[in-house]
């Protein structure tokens, strides 16, 4: 009976769980939230040719980076109006953020810090991805010519399942001192992600898709993910498909990263591999990530780091968040504005070599932003 209710009304049940969190036990919270949420699209807000976008600053360096995005957009003339939503520890904040994203269709976000370690407090980042069914995350890892890095000329696309795996948040203490954590892999989501990866490769002229797994140990969960990838691969004979165990993958990334083209993996492996590749090309401050569902999209820094230790010191690298804003403009169809900002970014870090400390430089965050704005003004091709 419970399974029938879950299948028929997942969204209503999810809302009920949020309303009742204060009275539910940790076990109930962990086990009564649906894993796959099918969401319905609502009309996207669009006012006079301008797009409304939800902005979630998050914690740590998020608020200052969002300020830089707004400043750059002002000088680039980007036709975007931001609806800023702060998310705290209250569920009402999360509910309002979700409503805003559903209304606007698009969001840009910093990492939202979950300060509590209690099982009753759900990660806001994971909750947003799950509630909006943002089933896939894309990280395009491409080297910048002017940035000192351990590897050169890298061009890898990481496609990550975004809502299940170890991030399903299904864990409990069965007896004192024994904790069980469930890794959930479903055929439906594995199918969606694999198909997305092969379609992405086809549309972008990519030649190979590599499935990353640990099916030699997790034979059922990772085995299902791998089998699904192999099945979908047969529908794309023009694209080469191979697979690699996650342990070997990390070693191969460090030693021979150029063998990879498009990589597809489950949630936790995606988190690990993303950070490895970011480290190879210069660090966490350069790359942006894109989260897509059937109806909504969220753009954010690629490694999802909060950066609390450097908040307010004017040394955070703003490039990852600005790159996320460029991805967002492309998504909204504002290609001219996106290319204008992207060219300014590339000139600043590749030609002028204005680098923050994480890239081995001495520039302040504001120095980078000011040089980007200077390049935008010098280009004199703004659309207005």
């Amino acid at each position: 009976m419970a399974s029938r209710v879950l299948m028929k009304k997942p969204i209503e049940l999810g809302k009920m769980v949020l309303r009742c969190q204060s009275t539910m036990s940790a076990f109930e919270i962990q086990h009564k939230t649906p894993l796959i949420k099918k969401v319905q699209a609502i009309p996207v807000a669009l006012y006079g040719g301008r797009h409304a976008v939800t902005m979630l600053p998050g914690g740590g360096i998020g608020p200052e980076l969002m300020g830089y995005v707004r400043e750059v957009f002002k000088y680039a003339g980007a036709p975007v109006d931001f609806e800023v939503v702060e998310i705290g520890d209250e569920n009402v904040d999360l509910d309002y953020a979700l409503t805003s994203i559903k209304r606007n269709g698009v969001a840009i976000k910093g990492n939202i810090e979950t300060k509590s370690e209690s099982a009753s407090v759900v990660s806001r980042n994971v909750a947003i991805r799950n509630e909006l069914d943002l089933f896939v995350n894309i990280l395009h890892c491409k080297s910048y010519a002017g940035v000192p890095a351990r590897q050169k000329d890298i061009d890898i696309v990481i496609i990550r399942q975004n809502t299940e795996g170890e991030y399903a948040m299904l864990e409990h203490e069965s007896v004192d001192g024994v904790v069980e954590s469930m890794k959930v892999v479903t055929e439906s989501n594995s199918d969606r992600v694999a198909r997305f990866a092969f379609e992405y490769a086809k549309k972008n002229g990519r030649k190979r898709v590599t499935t990353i797994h640990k099916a030699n140990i997790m034979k059922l969960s990772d085995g299902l993910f791998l089998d699904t990838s192999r099945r979908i691969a047969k529908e794309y004979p023009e694209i080469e498909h191979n697979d690699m165990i996650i342990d070997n993958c990390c070693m191969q990334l460090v030693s021979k990263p150029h063998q990879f083209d498009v990589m597809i993996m489950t949630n936790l492996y995606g988190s690990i591999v993303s950070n490895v590749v970011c480290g190879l090309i210069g660090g966490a401050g350069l790359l942006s990530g894109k989260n897509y569902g059937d109806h909504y999209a969220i753009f954010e820094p690629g490694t999802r780091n909060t950066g609390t230790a450097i908040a307010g010191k004017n040394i955070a690298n703003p490039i990852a968040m600005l790159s996320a804003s460029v991805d967002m403009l492309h998504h909204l169809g504002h290609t001219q504005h996106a290319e204008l900002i992207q060219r300014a970014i590339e000139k600043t870090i590749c030609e002028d070599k204005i680098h923050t400390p994480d890239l081995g430089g001495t520039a302040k965050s504001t120095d980078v932003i000011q040089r980007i704005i200077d390049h935008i003004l010098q280009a004199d091709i703004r659309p207005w």
Side-chain angles (χ1 to χ4, degrees):
M1 177 65 185
S3 63
R4 291 198 297 272
V5 172
L6 189 65
M7 291 174 64
K8 289 181 179 180
K9 297 185 177 181
I11 297 176
E12 288 80 355
L13 183 57
K15 292 179 179 177
M16 180 186 71
V17 170
L18 287 174
R19 288 196 299 270
C20 300
Q21 274 193 349
S22 59
T23 59
M24 293 171 63
S25 69
F27 179 89
E28 291 173 319
I29 291 172
Q30 293 285 322
H31 290 77
K32 289 189 177 181
T33 303
L35 297 177
I36 305 175
K37 294 182 178 293
K38 295 297 183 182
V39 295
Q40 298 297 321
I42 61 175
V44 173
L46 185 63
Y47 306 100
R50 298 179 64 86
H51 281 92
V53 171
T54 303
M55 175 178 277
L56 308 176
I61 59 176
E64 57 194 273
L65 297 183
M66 291 302 187
Y68 301 145
V69 168
R70 297 175 78 171
E71 187 75 2
V72 169
F73 272 38
K74 180 177 72 174
Y75 283 96
V80 171
D81 297 309
F82 291 109
E83 180 182 0
V84 181
V85 180
E86 301 285 352
I87 297 184
D89 295 329
E90 300 297 326
N91 288 328
V92 65
D93 298 336
L94 177 61
D95 289 341
Y96 182 76
L98 291 168
T99 300
S100 174
I101 297 170
K102 290 177 180 179
R103 178 172 59 246
N104 297 326
V106 178
I108 184 170
K109 69 179 283 292
N111 200 50
I112 303 165
E113 189 174 9
T114 304
K115 298 178 181 179
S116 174
E117 295 182 1
S118 170
S120 63
V121 179
V122 177
S123 164
R124 275 23 184 179
N125 301 291
V126 176
I128 289 172
R129 294 193 288 270
N130 288 351
E131 288 290 335
L132 298 176
D133 190 32
L134 302 175
F135 66 92
V136 66
N137 172 265
I138 305 172
L139 185 66
H140 187 184
C141 309
K142 189 172 183 179
S143 299
Y144 282 95
V147 175
R150 292 169 175 81
Q151 295 281 357
K152 301 291 185 181
D153 302 320
I154 290 178
D155 188 1
I156 301 171
V157 177
I158 298 171
I159 295 181
R160 165 186 178 183
Q161 207 294 321
N162 213 22
T163 57
E164 52 185 34
E166 291 84 355
Y167 286 62
M169 299 186 297
L170 294 174
E171 56 182 10
H172 61 272
E173 188 173 31
S174 52
V175 297
D176 287 343
V178 179
V179 174
E180 296 178 328
S181 180
M182 293 179 64
K183 173 178 179 174
V184 178
V185 176
T186 63
E187 184 175 8
S188 58
N189 269 332
S190 299
D191 185 289
R192 284 205 291 176
V193 172
R195 198 171 297 279
F196 185 98
F198 280 95
E199 282 295 322
Y200 181 96
K202 182 178 179 180
K203 291 176 182 177
N204 292 277
R206 298 279 175 163
K207 304 301 182 183
R208 181 189 301 115
V209 173
T210 303
T211 300
I212 309 302
H213 63 93
K214 190 66 176 174
N216 58 324
I217 301 299
M218 287 170 272
K219 300 180 186 297
L220 294 180
S221 56
D222 280 26
L224 174 60
F225 189 82
L226 177 58
D227 288 345
T228 303
S229 295
R230 287 171 172 169
R231 173 172 55 81
I232 299 299
K234 294 177 181 178
E235 301 177 23
Y236 299 85
E238 72 278 14
I239 299 172
E240 179 186 346
H241 177 254
N242 64 343
D243 63 89
M244 189 175 292
I245 295 174
I246 179 63
D247 318 43
N248 186 33
C249 169
C250 292
M251 182 188 70
Q252 294 291 331
L253 277 170
V254 174
S255 58
K256 298 178 181 178
H258 302 95
Q259 66 182 287
F260 296 104
D261 193 354
V262 175
M263 305 172 73
I264 174 177
M265 60 204 72
T266 54
N267 212 337
L268 180 60
Y269 304 155
S271 178
I272 295 168
V273 170
S274 297
N275 279 269
V276 170
V277 180
C278 284
L280 289 178
I281 69 171
L286 292 175
L287 301 181
S288 57
K290 298 173 281 190
N291 302 278
Y292 291 120
D294 291 332
H295 307 299
Y296 309 112
I298 293 182
F299 303 88
E300 62 184 347
T303 58
R304 299 172 176 172
N305 294 324
T306 308
T308 304
I310 59 173
K313 296 182 180 180
N314 197 20
I315 59 174
N317 192 335
I319 300 301
M321 191 67 81
L322 285 175
S323 296
S325 73
V326 169
D327 293 337
M328 181 191 74
L329 288 172
H330 278 297
H331 176 76
L332 293 173
H334 301 305
T335 305
Q336 191 173 2
H337 298 84
E339 292 177 349
L340 175 63
I341 297 173
Q342 184 61 44
R343 282 194 297 268
I345 291 173
E346 291 174 354
K347 287 181 179 179
T348 298
I349 63 175
C350 296
E351 297 177 14
D352 303 336
K353 292 183 168 46
I354 308 296
H355 295 166
T356 45
D358 60 305
L359 301 181
T362 59
K364 301 293 186 182
S365 308
T366 48
D367 296 333
V368 177
I369 295 301
Q370 186 57 56
R371 186 59 62 91
I372 289 172
I373 291 173
D374 290 344
H375 282 302
I376 289 173
L377 296 176
Q378 290 167 11
D380 199 26
I381 57 171
R382 288 166 292 164
W384 74 92

